[in-house]
Every structure is written in C-alpha cells, then in structure tokens.
Amino acid sequence: SHPTPASHPCFMRWQLLPAYAGSVALVIGLWSVGVALILLAIALLITAPLPVIRGLLGKYSVGVVDFEAEVDGAKVIGRWLYPSQPHQSSALYVALPRAGLTAAFVGTATPPALRRFLPRWVLSHWNCVAIPAKRGAALAKSCESMPVVLFSHGLTGTREVSQSLGLTLAAAGALVVLVEHTDGSSTLARSLDGSSLPFDHSLYDLGEDLPTKEYVAARREQTERRAAELRRHLTLLRRIHGVAHSRAETYEESLFTAEARGAHFVGASPSSSSVRLDGIPAADTASLLTALGERLDLSRSVVAGHSFGGASALTFACEEEELPVGKPPIAVVALDPMVDWVPERVMARAGYGEHGSYGLQQPPLQRYEKTPPLAEVPLLLVWSEEWQRLGYFRQWSANLLERAGRVDPDSGSVSPTGKVSPAGRAQWLKRDRSHACVVVGSGHQALCDVALLLPGRLNALLKNSLGGARSSELASRVNAVVLGWLRNQGLLLEGGETASTWYRGESLPLTRLPGIMRHRSAGTDARY
C-alpha cells in the first residue's frame, strides 16, 4: 500500500505571509498588530487548507514521471503513473510548477463572475500539494504485465486534474497516461523546455452561454484534434513497446542517446519517436523506458476522459470502421461526457441522434437496425448527480446501453426483439459489459480533482458537491466504481487491497458500492 502523501516544504504559501509579518511585528514590539496577523494566518490556514490528493490503496506503490515526445512530427506531453517498487516517497502534484499553472488557472478556469476580483496568486498553494508517488521510481518487479489507460482531461483541464483516479488505477497495476492536450483546451500545456501553450479564449467569442452552431462546430473540430492526439499517445506506447522487445535482437546497437535534461529513446526505424523525461538521469531514463516497454500489454487498453475528455474518448473509440477484438480500445470510460461535442460524422456510430439537444430527445431515439460500433465495446458511463438532475444526455446513454444489452455475445448480432440465446444472455450479464451509473452527491467537477483542490464550503457554493457530501468521499466513489468495472472486464487482473474485498471471482455489482445508483432512462424505449 502507498503512504499518505506528506506536504512538500513550502514556507512561502500565501496563507503564511501574515504569520511572518506578525512575527516581525512582535519582535519590534507591535504586540497587538503581531497577534492579529498571526490569528489571520491561522484563519487562512483553516479556510484554505492544503489539499490532500490520493487514490484508493492498492497492491503497488506508484511511480510518476512527466514526459514529452515527438510522434510523427507532432508533440505529445503528459504524465505517466505506473506501479512501482515499494517506497515512502511523495512527488509534487503540479508538474513543472515554475511554468505558472496556478496563475493561468485563476485566469482561465475560475467562475467568470469572480475571475476579475481574484488575485493570480490565490491558488499558488497548489504548488505545495504532494501525491503518494515517487518520481522515476523503478517499475514493480512483480507486475509482469500492465494494461494501459489513456485519460483525456476536460475543458480548461491539465494532466494533473484526474490524478486521484490515476493513482488508484496505477496502484492496481495499470500504466495511466494523463494526457495534456495541445489543442488550446488545456489551461496551460507545458513543455519541458519551459515553453507553454495557453488556453484559447477566442472560441468563447463564437457564443458560449447559449451555444451557437459556430461554437459547437469549433468544439467538435477540437474533439477531432484531441482524438488524434490520443491516438499519437497510443502510437508512442506501441513504439516504446516495439523497441523494447526488439532490443534483445539488436543489443549491440545503441538505442539510447542521452541529453542534458533527460534522454531520447530512439527506435529502430526512422519513424520511431523520441522521449524525454523530466528530471530523470539518462541511465535511469533508459532503464525505465525499457522496463515499461517490456511489460506493456496493449491488448488491454482503455480510453477514458472527463467532460470534454469523455467526448474525446468516445470519438477515439468510434473512429475505426471496425473494432476487432484484441486491438485498442478494449474499453471506454466516460465521466460526464460532453456528448454534444462529439463530431457529427461519428454521432450515429456513437449511438447519438440529433445534435444540439444535449441528449434530451423526446420521444426516445428510434432503434438502429444495426447496433452502433460503440455498443460493441464495453462502456462505462459515470454521471454526476448534477448533470443527471439536469437530464444531460440521459436518453443518449439509455439508448446506447439498451442496444449494447441486445448484442448477442456469441454472434455479435442484434435482433429487432432483443432476443439472444440463454447462454449468451447469462454470459453477457455476468460480464456486465456496459454500465451507466450516477455518483450520488456529486457535481460535475467532483468527477475530477477540482473538488478535492477546493475548500468544502466553496465546493458547496459552486455545486461541486451536493447535499453536504465531502469531496474526498465523492472521489472515493468515482475511483471505486471505475476500478470495480475495470476489474469486471478482466482489464485489471491484480486489483488492490480494497478491490479484493469486493471481487470474489464474479462480477462486482457496481450499484452496491456506497454512493452509486443506477442510471435511469428518460423515456420508454430504453429500460437499462
């Protein structure tokens, strides 16, 4: 099991500045001023405490590394979380803290009504937050095969904002790729050389409050780019995997060339990619990349995302004309997916009908004669109670899952009446291939780390938590349902300590988890 993260020393947190000033006042004899300032500092520490980010306990400790690579002429950046050898270390939650992410977040992702009044340093204490992970840790020796989880963040998100879930899956034995998108949807996409790509505010000028056709079209075009970026990340892993396995045959050839900030992992073919790891010595970079490549199991690949990232994951899964068994993605996890930003060309293939209605079609969508491709891939839809109350996309998910439930696992066909063989139905239900559920008490931002990063009362004000639910409890609910579902699919064969108490050789009933309820459809067609 991994340790509780210890806070990294950060003596210049803005909440502490009044205490320093108060100490000086006491030294020079200004007693009343000094005491008042110290009391102010205590009040600030109570109202804006240092956030705690951690996942569910698992079999493994977790290693972390920030990476950058060139894939087919395009840059890919992000963070890897992976199962590691036991340790008691911690790493910074925010990658490359000198790049100014927290200040950019204040100017980009805070509520517009408050943004103009907030100083840019108000979130700077996030740079002191730690996660229970060791930078560049050696890969766990007992983990012989790692599934891959590609995770796409939401609008204004970054590689950091789903690390609680990432830590949970890495501790259960997966390589988690926290993608930082470079399409202008990230608050600040940061490169290892110190350069960065800021958020693209220009799209808001197209009409965001009441989304115009131009605004939706622009977001759908971004979704296309995001899905292509996910594919490049998967390509990078394939090449690392291929080079690692070919190294035994070409051992005499130099596959690694060190550079000042890290190392390049150079493949055996001209099209292979180079990888740089932040703050990792060249020799350790080479050994870590080789170990990762040797143990990657790309036949167990999952594409996941939150909000805009959920739309990107769905688009990624629908891009291929065919989704042959054994080729990625093997499963899709979408947390509050912004389905209306799925490109129109793949909407029907994702089981979605008319666009622009945010999934609120009435009457329900007509059944397809042929099931959409996405229904052939195991799909987990996790909704916040906030979006479920609003009805966002509920009819879409109900229809999609209803179609998935009528797929005969023996033949792959769909009958108009939904009848399948008894043996096939039993097998389908036992595997619980596709599922939709609601996290009770959660707002949209509680399905990522944003609620964990903010004080409880502020979360209630922003509707990140509903009915007094604590953000840490909501994060545990999200982590538990995703981990449990992946276990049901056989994609995480070595579940964590907590998961082992649920899983006893049969599918875990997800709605029996605390705080999880089954998704209810809006119409009469879908009954899932």
Side-chain angles (χ1 to χ4, degrees):
S1 63
H2 56 65
T4 299
S7 301
H8 280 238
C10 194
F11 300 111
M12 291 306 294
R13 287 172 55 192
W14 64 267
Q15 295 95 331
L16 293 173
L17 295 181
Y20 299 148
S23 300
V24 173
L26 291 175
V27 169
I28 64 177
L30 299 176
W31 296 96
S32 59
V33 174
V35 171
L37 288 172
I38 290 174
L39 291 176
L40 174 61
I42 293 173
L44 290 173
L45 290 172
I46 293 174
T47 56
L50 202 61
V52 176
I53 306 294
R54 56 189 174 196
L56 299 180
L57 293 178
K59 179 178 181 179
Y60 302 103
S61 293
V62 177
V64 59
V65 67
D66 294 292
F67 70 93
E68 178 179 306
E70 296 287 332
V71 178
D72 300 333
K75 180 183 292 186
V76 293
I77 57 179
R79 172 169 278 192
W80 289 333
L81 298 173
Y82 56 91
S84 74
Q85 287 289 91
H87 64 77
Q88 296 294 318
S89 301
S90 59
L92 288 176
Y93 176 81
V94 174
L96 309 170
R98 294 184 180 180
L101 173 64
T102 58
F105 194 88
V106 173
T108 299
T110 51
L114 299 177
R115 192 174 302 163
R116 55 189 292 184
F117 304 106
L118 294 175
R120 290 300 180 95
W121 44 261
V122 72
L123 300 179
S124 60
H125 60 293
W126 289 1
N127 290 325
C128 305
V129 177
I131 57 172
K134 182 179 180 180
R135 183 169 296 279
L139 198 65
K141 294 180 180 179
S142 61
C143 185
E144 298 179 354
S145 176
M146 291 186 300
V148 173
V149 179
L150 294 174
F151 196 93
S152 173
H153 62 73
L155 187 66
T156 72
T158 62
R159 71 187 80 180
E160 287 88 359
V161 295
S162 288
Q163 287 190 92
S164 176
L165 177 58
L167 289 166
T168 295
L169 300 181
L175 170 65
V176 182
V177 182
L178 299 170
V179 174
E180 189 157 271
H181 287 286
T182 58
D183 64 322
S185 63
S186 170
T187 289
L188 194 69
R190 294 145 290 163
S191 298
L192 299 185
D193 61 4
S195 62
S196 59
L197 179 67
F199 181 79
D200 182 6
H201 291 267
S202 64
L203 271 65
Y204 289 143
D205 297 335
L206 299 175
E208 173 205 11
D209 294 335
L210 293 173
T212 63
K213 290 184 178 180
E214 292 77 13
Y215 178 77
V216 173
R219 290 301 182 202
R220 289 176 180 165
E221 192 275 332
Q222 270 192 308
T223 305
E224 298 266 20
R225 286 186 280 157
R226 285 167 137 256
E229 195 165 10
L230 289 173
R231 193 164 298 282
R232 286 194 291 272
H233 279 268
L234 185 59
T235 297
L236 173 64
L237 296 179
R238 284 171 172 160
R239 292 175 179 174
I240 292 175
H241 176 74
V243 171
H245 281 267
S246 66
R247 189 170 183 234
E249 301 175 2
T250 59
Y251 187 81
E252 298 78 6
E253 299 180 18
S254 175
L255 298 177
F256 307 99
T257 59
E259 288 201 351
R261 285 185 58 88
H264 279 234
F265 186 90
V266 182
S269 68
S271 63
S272 294
S273 311
S274 60
V275 181
R276 293 203 299 166
L277 307 183
D278 181 54
I280 309 300
D284 294 340
T285 296
S287 60
L288 177 58
L289 289 173
T290 299
L292 286 173
E294 290 174 344
R295 302 183 196 185
L296 288 178
D297 184 357
L298 296 175
S299 68
R300 292 187 287 150
S301 296
V302 180
V303 58
H306 171 246
S307 193
F308 201 177
S312 305
L314 294 169
T315 300
F316 177 93
C318 291
E319 278 189 330
E320 300 297 331
E321 289 296 332
E322 296 181 354
L323 295 171
V325 175
K327 292 187 178 181
I330 302 303
V332 178
V333 177
L335 312 177
D336 265 1
M338 189 62 179
V339 182
D340 216 45
W341 292 354
V342 170
E344 193 167 358
R345 67 180 180 82
V346 298
M347 276 193 168
R349 300 170 65 195
Y352 195 58
E354 296 179 3
H355 58 84
S357 56
Y358 290 87
L360 298 174
Q361 292 91 344
Q362 294 291 343
L365 301 177
Q366 295 182 356
R367 295 181 176 183
Y368 289 86
E369 294 181 0
K370 180 181 179 182
T371 184
L374 189 56
E376 300 172 11
V377 179
L379 170 65
L380 174 65
L381 292 165
V382 181
W383 298 102
S384 66
E385 188 174 351
E386 178 188 12
W387 278 30
Q388 192 269 344
R389 286 180 180 179
L390 296 172
Y392 283 5
F393 316 120
R394 58 186 179 181
Q395 191 58 56
W396 163 79
S397 59
N399 277 270
L400 180 64
L401 291 174
E402 191 267 348
R403 293 188 186 95
R406 292 186 293 117
V407 177
D408 187 335
D410 297 329
S411 66
S413 63
V414 180
S415 65
T417 61
K419 294 181 180 180
V420 298
S421 66
R425 172 65 67 184
Q427 177 186 353
W428 191 264
L429 293 177
K430 183 176 180 180
R431 289 190 64 190
D432 195 19
R433 283 178 58 89
S434 292
H435 195 93
C437 59
V438 178
V439 179
V440 178
S442 65
H444 180 62
Q445 297 296 354
L447 300 190
C448 64
D449 290 352
V450 170
L452 288 171
L453 293 167
L454 299 176
R457 291 185 179 180
L458 184 56
N459 279 320
L461 178 65
L462 298 175
K463 297 184 178 180
N464 293 335
S465 61
L466 309 175
R470 298 176 59 185
S471 59
S472 58
E473 181 182 358
L474 296 175
S476 295
R477 293 173 184 177
V478 175
N479 295 345
V481 74
V482 174
L483 176 62
W485 184 79
L486 291 175
R487 292 273 290 150
N488 288 351
Q489 305 306 313
L491 295 171
L492 285 174
L493 302 179
E494 297 179 298
E497 178 184 348
T498 305
S500 65
T501 64
W502 309 328
Y503 185 78
R504 303 187 185 281
E506 298 179 357
S507 291
L508 166 71
L510 299 182
T511 51
R512 294 185 184 177
L513 293 173
I516 302 297
M517 66 179 179
R518 184 178 291 278
H519 170 274
R520 300 298 182 187
S521 63
T524 58
D525 189 9
R527 303 176 186 83
Y528 193 88

